Amino acid sequence: MPSVDPLRDLGVRSTAEGGTIRVASNTASSIELCLFDPKDLTWVTDRIPLSRDGDGVWTASSPKLLPDARYTLRADGPAAPANRFDPALHLLDPYARGLSRTATGQWRSCVVDGSFDWGGVVKPATPLDKTVIYETHPKGLTKLNPAVPEEFRGTYAGLAHDTAIRYLKDLGVTAVELLPVHQFVTEPRLAKQGLVNYWGYNTLAFFSPHGAYASNTAQAAGPAQVLREFKGMVRLLHEAGLEVILDVVYNHTAELGVDGPTTSLRGLDNATYYRHSADGRYIDVTGCGNTVNFALDIPQRLLLDSLRYWANDVQIDGFRFDLAAALGRDENVNYRRDHPLLESIVNDPELAAVKMIAEPWDVGAGGWQVGNFPPKFSEWNDDYRDRVRDFWLTDIAAARQSGSAPNGSGAFATKLSGSSNVFDAERGPLASVNFITAHDGFTAFDLTAYNQKHNLGNGENNRDGTDNNHSFNHGVEGHTDDPAISAVRRKALRNLLGTLLLSAGVPMLTAGDEVGRSQKGNNNAYCHDNPLTWLPWELEDWQSDLWRVVQELLRLRRENPALRPARYAVRGENVASASRMEWFNAAGESMSIDDWNSSSERTLQYFAESTPESEGLNRILLIVHGLETPETVTLPSPEGIGQYTLLWNSALDDVEVMDHPPGVTVNVAGTSLQLFRAH
């Protein structure tokens, strides 16, 4: 007979007699359930002691533990270096599906009726090789959209409005990746400065959607309606064929350092939930004051249960794990690729087919782990980001100053073709989530317009944010009315976005880059909830032109499977869903070692031929020219190719489709890309 899972059914479960709550704490000596008057969330109407079993799970039942009931927990325990018990504090249930707040700002857990009619709508299940991620803020996407009714701008309902969905579908992305939507709070330090935590990387509760992103009507109706609005958003996005990926922050919590607010885990079982030394000091590998201790079973189970809830009850399609290296650290705080939590995330049958994306680093020792996550994880590829920025921006700046670019085209080509130097053959190119920008850092436009960060508005005397931006302002810092500089910046934008959307791997586009959104040089705008960070909907002509370029690039990516291989090719073998690649120099000859390394050439021709598995044979040629002087390029003559059709040219606003036979020369503008279909 199978053994009973000791950590089963944590949180509140409905019973015939009302409800039962189960809470995990290894070190508490007593835990009490407090129920509140529904009209006065400061008035405790019932106090019920929980009883402990032999596995550290505490249980209580009450006929009043029904949907809409507000409740907290109080815990006491022995004095010890790692314990932080205070029986006077009202603590949140770590598994609470909804939260309410008192007039004085205290939080209460809420029992939520999670029933919802999905209307037969199922997850889109977009294959990874056809996935294009659009990273966006759930509020910032629609806050300025005049077509959305004012009540719904910046809300879950606004994100699901038909104009927002049509915008995403017309653009051609397949998934929205939402910055954190778990209930979060603003850090006291920011609040004292009159600022807010806009990005949301300060999680209060792992099961509850952030209430402030719901419409005012839903907020007034309570946590159950907030959850229904969130699920309604997911249903409408799915109905349109768009997946929903959540950026999730499990590595630390809003309880911050030991002097921070105690709201849940610290008060229930600090010794189990957080990493600490023998004397009780926190071991912080996140830079946020605390680190959840995923070397132990109870925190592991909390994370896995949260994922299962969002993936199944809320129908989420994927997760991007913030500072994911922190999730894979063992009892000695060393990262392990075979960490049981990481393996459980990708092998749990309840999470099958869910996309898992790691931000593969944290700030602790040995924290940079790009390429070192288990199979089935994809990873943010920061080396891709930096190499592509260097090729189109800082190398060009250096060439202007010294007359020679510091790098050849070899490293760029490796990233363009799937980063095989980072990810092993078992994982392949789809392990790489390629990005030029993310929420954190310069926007794509600002990469072309600023050499330095401009973060004074963050209240930290410009100390915050990276100084290593790999950017180039093209001669003027910030805004300019010079048409020549504006033109070269816009071409640089097209080169950056063209590289991203034509590279092997999974592309992630940051919201607003498709229209050249600027943050005025702020590369750490986490504390700005205002038009600086919101998506603009009223566009200048050049911004509309850029949007159409991105739309065209995404169409070309869809139509040319050679651009999006699922596996790495192997010389001499026929690997299904790989792209056989050949590389040629400007003369149409195979690239030599000198060609790869030459900083004075920086011209390559990337020929890719798909190996059909579920789509037809496809062949493309991409010409890359990384110097500001024009170049004459001879089209190569691979076996079986009789014609090239020009599809896109980053140097031109409009491309006239034309055919060229192999062996002819074509003119290539300085710092530009040309894409051809090969027949």
Side-chain angles (χ1 to χ4, degrees):
M1 184 175 179
S3 59
V4 176
D5 179 2
L7 296 179
R8 70 192 185 282
D9 296 337
L10 294 174
V12 174
R13 294 291 186 276
S14 296
T15 67
E17 292 77 31
T20 295
I21 185 169
R22 287 168 52 83
V23 180
S25 175
N26 284 323
T27 57
S29 59
S30 66
I31 299 180
E32 179 183 65
L33 170 67
C34 296
L35 292 166
F36 291 86
D37 181 88
K39 295 182 180 179
D40 183 354
L41 297 186
T42 65
W43 178 15
V44 178
T45 59
D46 295 86
R47 293 180 175 87
I48 303 167
L50 278 70
S51 59
R52 174 178 172 152
D53 64 17
D55 296 300
V57 175
W58 299 73
T59 305
S61 298
S62 170
K64 297 182 180 179
L65 205 55
L66 298 169
D68 292 330
R70 270 61 168 184
Y71 67 99
T72 59
L73 300 162
R74 283 176 163 173
D76 200 0
N83 287 350
R84 294 289 184 275
F85 291 109
D86 183 347
L89 294 178
H90 287 283
L91 306 172
L92 296 175
D93 174 8
Y95 281 70
R97 266 55 166 175
L99 300 180
S100 296
R101 209 166 191 182
T102 70
T104 56
Q106 296 175 304
W107 291 96
R108 305 290 184 246
S109 306
C110 181
V111 181
V112 171
D113 176 3
S115 60
F116 184 78
D117 181 7
W118 291 96
V121 176
V122 298
K123 296 182 179 182
T126 307
L128 198 55
D129 67 302
K130 295 181 180 179
T131 296
V132 178
I133 298 169
Y134 187 82
E135 189 204 37
T136 187
H137 191 283
K139 177 179 181 179
L141 180 66
T142 64
K143 185 61 179 175
L144 296 177
N145 185 351
V148 173
E150 186 172 357
E151 179 189 357
F152 299 130
R153 292 175 198 165
T155 69
Y156 300 129
L159 206 156
H161 191 267
D162 59 355
T163 59
I165 288 177
R166 187 164 60 249
Y167 179 92
L168 297 167
K169 289 293 291 182
D170 288 350
L171 185 61
V173 299
T174 69
V176 289
E177 180 176 304
L178 302 179
L179 267 65
V181 296
H182 291 169
Q183 181 66 58
F184 65 86
V185 292
T186 290
E187 297 88 336
R189 173 186 63 82
L190 285 176
K192 288 178 182 178
Q193 294 177 276
L195 299 171
V196 298
N197 186 324
Y198 174 64
W199 287 349
Y201 292 87
N202 196 43
T203 306
L204 182 69
F206 295 133
F207 288 78
S208 178
H210 189 64
Y213 293 158
S215 63
N216 290 335
T217 301
Q219 291 184 55
Q225 189 58 37
V226 170
L227 178 60
R228 278 191 284 274
E229 183 173 310
F230 189 96
K231 289 182 176 181
M233 172 195 72
V234 174
R235 181 178 64 189
L236 288 170
L237 288 167
H238 282 177
E239 197 169 44
L242 292 165
E243 293 188 314
V244 182
I245 298 171
L246 300 186
D247 191 335
V248 286
V249 187
Y250 293 110
N251 58 79
H252 74 282
T253 76
E255 292 184 304
L256 307 175
V258 291
D259 296 325
T262 296
T263 54
S264 183
L265 304 183
R266 179 183 291 136
L268 289 170
D269 192 353
N270 183 70
T272 295
Y273 283 108
Y274 294 118
R275 291 190 179 275
H276 53 81
S277 57
D279 61 2
R281 289 181 297 175
Y282 277 1
I283 298 172
D284 179 14
V285 300
T286 67
C288 300
N290 66 57
T291 302
V292 179
N293 186 6
F294 291 114
L296 300 179
D297 289 345
I298 288 175
Q300 288 183 29
R301 183 58 175 266
L302 176 64
L303 185 152
L304 289 168
D305 284 347
S306 176
L307 292 180
R308 292 165 184 152
Y309 170 70
W310 290 98
N312 298 315
D313 289 60
V314 192
Q315 291 290 290
I316 294 302
D317 304 277
F319 302 94
R320 178 268 188 189
F321 297 91
D322 180 64
L323 299 182
L327 279 55
R329 290 186 179 270
D330 62 17
E331 63 277 5
N332 297 314
V333 205
N334 295 319
Y335 174 81
R336 288 174 42 195
R337 183 181 186 179
D338 64 348
H339 191 287
L341 176 58
L342 298 181
E343 295 197 336
S344 294
I345 288 171
V346 291
N347 294 318
D348 189 326
E350 293 188 51
L351 299 173
V354 175
K355 293 177 171 67
M356 302 295 183
I357 301 168
E359 182 185 36
W361 51 77
D362 62 22
V363 301
W368 194 78
Q369 294 294 334
V370 179
N372 197 28
F373 272 69
K376 300 182 185 177
F377 268 103
S378 296
E379 301 176 29
W380 274 25
N381 189 344
D382 62 333
D383 193 42
Y384 175 96
R385 173 198 65 198
D386 294 346
R387 294 291 183 180
V388 173
R389 289 185 183 186
D390 284 344
F391 188 83
W392 293 118
L393 298 171
T394 56
D395 285 359
I396 301 305
R400 282 192 185 184
Q401 186 172 22
S402 67
S404 176
N407 300 298
S409 57
F412 175 87
T414 301
K415 301 308 169 191
L416 180 70
S417 57
S419 297
S420 60
N421 64 325
V422 175
F423 303 100
D424 59 37
E426 180 183 8
R427 300 179 68 195
L430 299 180
S432 178
V433 174
N434 299 330
F435 65 108
I436 304 297
T437 67
H439 63 278
D440 186 2
F442 276 155
T443 67
F445 177 85
D446 287 355
L447 285 174
T448 72
Y450 293 91
N451 284 351
Q452 288 90 34
K453 66 187 180 186
H454 296 264
N455 294 356
L456 285 174
N458 298 356
E460 298 183 47
N461 295 317
N462 214 39
R463 292 189 301 267
D464 65 305
T466 183
D467 293 309
N468 189 25
N469 294 294
H470 303 262
S471 61
F472 176 36
N473 67 16
H474 294 88
V476 174
E477 186 75 356
H479 175 76
T480 181
D481 292 321
D482 186 319
I485 293 177
S486 294
V488 75
R489 283 178 177 178
R490 292 167 191 172
K491 185 175 63 170
L493 261 177
R494 294 192 293 270
N495 289 332
L496 290 167
L497 295 171
T499 301
L500 172 66
L501 300 179
L502 300 178
S503 291
V506 180
M508 184 185 80
L509 180 68
T510 303
D513 280 352
E514 74 276 14
V515 294
R517 185 180 73 87
S518 174
Q519 290 178 172
K520 300 180 180 179
N522 192 319
N523 73 353
N524 191 34
Y526 74 104
C527 54
H528 293 276
D529 183 2
N530 54 51
L532 182 73
T533 54
W534 300 339
L535 185 75
W537 286 82
E538 295 182 0
L539 306 178
E540 298 180 26
D541 288 346
W542 72 268
Q543 293 179 295
S544 297
D545 291 340
L546 182 62
W547 190 92
R548 285 188 288 271
V549 165
V550 173
Q551 181 189 48
E552 176 70 3
L553 286 165
L554 287 171
R555 182 185 67 82
L556 293 171
R557 183 179 183 86
R558 283 194 305 275
E559 294 177 356
N560 291 278
L563 292 167
R564 40 184 176 81
R567 301 181 181 92
Y568 293 130
V570 178
R571 187 176 295 275
E573 296 183 17
N574 185 24
V575 180
S577 290
S579 286
R580 182 181 66 83
M581 300 173 186
E582 296 183 55
W583 302 89
F584 303 94
N585 60 18
E589 301 167 347
S590 294
M591 293 279 285
S592 66
I593 293 177
D594 288 342
D595 291 329
W596 288 118
N597 295 328
S598 174
S599 60
S600 61
E601 297 295 332
R602 287 172 58 91
T603 304
L604 60 85
Q605 301 189 72
Y606 165 51
F607 176 85
E609 178 180 84
S610 68
T611 307
E613 186 172 17
S614 59
E615 299 180 82
L617 177 65
N618 174 243
R619 292 171 290 201
I620 61 92
L621 177 71
L622 181 65
I623 299 177
V624 178
H625 179 49
L627 291 173
E628 290 194 288
T629 53
E631 181 65 88
T632 300
V633 172
T634 301
L635 298 178
S637 302
E639 183 178 350
I641 300 302
Q643 181 174 280
Y644 293 102
T645 301
L646 179 64
L647 302 177
W648 182 69
N649 184 343
S650 70
L652 302 175
D653 291 327
D654 297 300
V655 173
E656 180 183 352
V657 176
M658 59 183 69
D659 295 331
H660 304 275
V664 304
T665 60
V666 296
N667 295 321
V668 179
T671 53
S672 68
L673 295 161
Q674 291 188 21
L675 178 68
F676 298 81
R677 183 175 289 120
H679 308 276

